[in-house]
Amino acid sequence: MEKVAIVTGSGGGLGKGIAKRLGKDGFNIVLNDINQELLDSTLEEFKKDGLHVIAVTGDVSKREDQFNLVAKAVEEFGQIDVFVNNAGIDVVSPFLDIDEAQLNKTFAINVNGVVFGTQAAAKQFIEQKTKGKIINACSIAGHESYEMLATYSATKHAVRSLTQSAAKELAAYDIRVNAYCPGVAGTSMWDRIDAEMVKYYDDMEPGDAFKKFSEGILLGRPQEPEDVANLVSFLASDDSDYITGQSIITDGGIVFR
Ligand code: NAP
């Protein structure tokens, strides 16, 4: 039977790149996004590429949406094998200006979303009595916290922590839980971070924040979705069966742990 992978937030950005790669690896793909327009266009593109794919709209911060996502995947393909908790949002703010709404929204999506996605996937794996892989979007900001990105960094530290706790509890069910930690990739997330950062620094122009963060990359270029997808493909494969609870950095050489 063909394996099935769910990737949240896969209408665009890194999630789309990951879903495309897993499709090429032979998985049936379940796309998910809150952005209906983006989701529809990615679904059409994947179908044209000959991938076996469905799309389920949903908000990862809502527990019932995550369980519905798994249910729809099982309805269509009969089982699930991999669940990628990819969806996440950024927020740029000086520490002293962080407000309650920003904090709550960012934690709801980046942290609660990972908890609910993990619960929905793990309960299905346990019911199926099969091996399962849960793969979370962490970040270099889950290993080191950045100025102007305090809230975002805190959520990604939480993802690293949840990855460890879930791995410890779920190993008994043959479920591995790992995370990928990208560096600086030029997705719409970075367009937004860049646009926000330049507002706070008089000497910065649009594009400068992205340039500044990219400059230090040892391998000499910003990250592409394919770079991230290479790691996720490995974590989704049998080759990573002896790895669990790890949050692995893929950043071209920015943060060293
Ligand atoms: P992105 O370009 O903003 O794409 C994220 C996708 O998720 C968008 O389509 C977005 O829809 C969707 N989404 C947002 N909120 C959602 C929700 N509540 N439920 C379902 N989908 C939702 O971001 P990305 O750069 O691809 O990042 C993907 C993941 O990698 C995130 O967890 C991010 O923190 C992490 N990451 C990214 C970088 C980087 O450099 N880009 C670095 C480290 C870690 P909308 O378009 O409507 O917002």
Side-chain angles (χ1 to χ4, degrees):
M1 194 191 264
E2 275 176 10
K3 286 187 173 179
V4 182
I6 299 176
V7 186
T8 67
S10 48
L14 302 183
K16 180 178 173 182
I18 290 165
K20 189 175 276 188
R21 171 60 190 269
L22 294 180
K24 286 190 182 143
D25 288 348
F27 283 88
N28 292 325
I29 297 299
V30 181
L31 299 169
N32 151 272
D33 210 284
I34 202 168
N35 185 329
Q36 186 72 57
E37 212 179 306
L38 211 55
L39 189 61
D40 288 345
S41 81
T42 299
L43 176 66
E44 284 321 304
E45 185 185 321
F46 278 32
K47 279 184 179 164
K48 274 195 201 124
D49 287 348
L51 300 177
H52 296 159
V53 58
I54 62 165
V56 183
T57 314
D59 177 347
V60 294
S61 70
K62 300 211 162 84
R63 195 172 186 274
E64 76 249 38
D65 283 14
Q66 297 274 36
F67 279 77
N68 176 58
L69 173 59
V70 169
K72 288 273 158 47
V74 173
E75 201 178 297
E76 179 69 21
F77 294 123
Q79 65 178 66
I80 62 165
D81 300 281
V82 171
F83 191 101
V84 186
N85 278 309
N86 169 75
I89 60 165
D90 58 282
V91 55
V92 175
S93 167
F95 200 100
L96 299 183
D97 294 342
I98 295 170
D99 66 40
E100 195 177 344
Q102 278 178 338
L103 267 176
N104 287 341
K105 185 176 177 197
T106 315
F107 271 84
I109 294 173
N110 294 9
V111 180
N112 301 9
V114 168
V115 173
F116 300 147
T118 300
Q119 290 175 334
K123 281 173 191 261
Q124 180 61 31
F125 294 142
I126 292 167
E127 198 182 315
Q128 289 173 188
K129 296 191 173 60
T130 60
K131 175 170 101 179
K133 301 244 176 176
I134 295 168
I135 307 170
N136 300 327
C138 187
S139 168
I140 51 171
H143 290 266
E144 181 168 336
S145 300
Y146 293 92
E147 60 188 33
M148 304 294 281
L149 292 168
T151 305
Y152 179 76
S153 301
T155 64
K156 292 302 180 179
H157 275 67
V159 170
R160 186 152 64 92
S161 167
L162 292 168
T163 301
Q164 289 185 13
S165 302
K168 289 181 183 186
E169 286 194 33
L170 297 174
Y173 300 102
D174 217 8
I175 298 170
R176 281 97 178 136
V177 188
N178 291 294
Y180 52 100
C181 305
V184 180
T187 62
S188 59
M189 172 173 285
W190 251 102
D191 293 344
R192 281 191 306 270
I193 294 176
D194 189 86
E196 284 298 313
M197 286 238 178
V198 298
K199 286 185 197 163
Y200 293 101
Y201 296 100
D202 291 342
D203 56 342
M204 270 194 178
E205 296 193 359
D208 281 356
F210 183 71
K211 215 164 97 199
K212 187 177 147 228
F213 272 83
S214 306
E215 260 164 16
I217 300 173
L218 279 190
L219 296 179
R221 63 167 175 83
Q223 189 155 31
E224 299 293 337
E226 291 76 14
D227 299 314
V228 180
N230 286 339
L231 173 58
V232 178
S233 166
F234 167 66
L235 291 174
S237 77
D238 294 343
D239 287 348
S240 62
D241 274 2
Y242 201 57
I243 300 174
T244 196
Q246 302 306 312
S247 293
I248 301 171
I249 295 175
T250 164
D251 67 356
I254 303 173
V255 169
F256 299 87
R257 290 291 180 272

